[in-house]
Amino acid sequence: MTSPATDRTDVRRRVLLAAPRGYCAGVDRAVVAVEKALDHYGAPVYVRKEIVHNKHVVETLAARGAVFVDETDQVPEGARVVFSAHGVSPAVRESAAARNLLTIDATCPLVTKVHKEAVRFAADDYDILLIGHDGHEEVEGTQGEAPEHIQVVNSPDAVDDVVVRDPERVVWISQTTLSVDETMETVRRLRERFPHLQDPPSDDICYATQNRQVAVKKLAPDCDVVLTVGSANSSNSVRLVEVALDAGARSSYRIDGAAEIDPAWFEGAATVGVTSGASVPEVLVDQVLARLAELGYGEVEEVRTATEDLMFSLPRELRADLKAAGNGDPRPRREGRRALDVQPV
Ligand code: 0K2
Ligand code: SF4
């Protein structure tokens, strides 16, 4: 296979591979929860919304018997349903209970943490400014905890439209998968308007989102092209495409997998950066690297900015059933990797 740069013997062609990349602890837990539910209870296992925003993951689980639905009223009475990693509002839980559904809650514990903040600030009668993308499932779930207290702020420019009851009693919280820099700009503009604006008690943009952005920022200035593996509806993946460009990559593309690579992107390119979103299985990155090698980019150098060893226990309901059947959590423990039992209350 020839490459656009094959005839240029003077150029050292290489790949800079971001680390961390790919699966975060919340995604690993959610995907394994569906796999174990299929193994233990048998198909079909219903899943409300995409368990994570990745086409390959959803198609693979669907082929094994997972049935993805938009709402709980599409699940037969009394059947088992998994809630996705992005979380659900109390209204969804109530509707599932009304249909006697057996629920497995795969909401990431770090999303649940934000829900709890919302509940607490609403109980204290704050106006809560939820920085995030309207219509995203995580934002719908968080807003549903206290809709009368929460308004969504989509972008820095949306700050001008915010109206609050008492400017001295305002707090911001956020979606977990946003661009850190853009969110800080939104907060800066909010604080210009509301000097008494309170910060959330800890970072809402999660460790995995932050780590993947730091890694791609480090390699982007050295890259002619950055490829982010991730699906179009994956907020954190799409943010990586933007962050790479902002950080100095000459061009930046999102791809679901190797088949979407267009060799024309690499015309005259010496260095290609590769990263992947938090919902992306490593096999897709491996296939991208294999395709890049065919195109002349066979030398791969990892650019690591952090090491991650966080792991969350499987959802409580599932764990109890697996334990009763004599099965444990199937995931391998790496040294220093603990299964944190951070469960929704
Ligand atoms: O980045 P998104 O929130 O759109 O979601 P995914 O691509 O599924 O990544 C996992 C994050 C899930 C919850 O935070
Ligand atoms: Fe949890 Fe962060 Fe992963 Fe979302 S991206 S599932 S908040 S660890």
PDB file of all heavy atoms in Angstrom, residues 6 299 329:
ATOM      1  N   THR A   6       4.962   8.381   1.134  1.00  0.00           N
ATOM      2  CA  THR A   6       5.891   7.263   0.929  1.00  0.00           C
ATOM      3  C   THR A   6       7.129   7.666   0.150  1.00  0.00           C
ATOM      4  O   THR A   6       8.228   7.171   0.408  1.00  0.00           O
ATOM      5  CB  THR A   6       5.181   6.113   0.188  1.00  0.00           C
ATOM      6  OG1 THR A   6       3.990   5.839   0.870  1.00  0.00           O
ATOM      7  CG2 THR A   6       6.042   4.872   0.163  1.00  0.00           C
ATOM      8  N   GLU A 299       5.999   3.674  13.140  1.00  0.00           N
ATOM      9  CA  GLU A 299       6.745   3.934  14.374  1.00  0.00           C
ATOM     10  C   GLU A 299       5.808   4.626  15.373  1.00  0.00           C
ATOM     11  O   GLU A 299       5.263   5.696  15.084  1.00  0.00           O
ATOM     12  CB  GLU A 299       7.923   4.865  14.042  1.00  0.00           C
ATOM     13  CG  GLU A 299       8.834   5.135  15.203  1.00  0.00           C
ATOM     14  CD  GLU A 299       9.878   6.205  14.847  1.00  0.00           C
ATOM     15  OE1 GLU A 299      10.342   6.236  13.679  1.00  0.00           O
ATOM     16  OE2 GLU A 299      10.188   7.014  15.736  1.00  0.00           O
ATOM     17  N   ASP A 329     -16.679 -10.522  40.539  1.00  0.00           N
ATOM     18  CA  ASP A 329     -16.385  -9.547  39.502  1.00  0.00           C
ATOM     19  C   ASP A 329     -15.303 -10.139  38.593  1.00  0.00           C
ATOM     20  O   ASP A 329     -14.236 -10.521  39.070  1.00  0.00           O
ATOM     21  CB  ASP A 329     -15.893  -8.261  40.191  1.00  0.00           C
ATOM     22  CG  ASP A 329     -15.750  -7.105  39.225  1.00  0.00           C
ATOM     23  OD1 ASP A 329     -15.540  -7.352  38.025  1.00  0.00           O
ATOM     24  OD2 ASP A 329     -15.834  -5.953  39.681  1.00  0.00           O
TER      25      ASP A 329
END
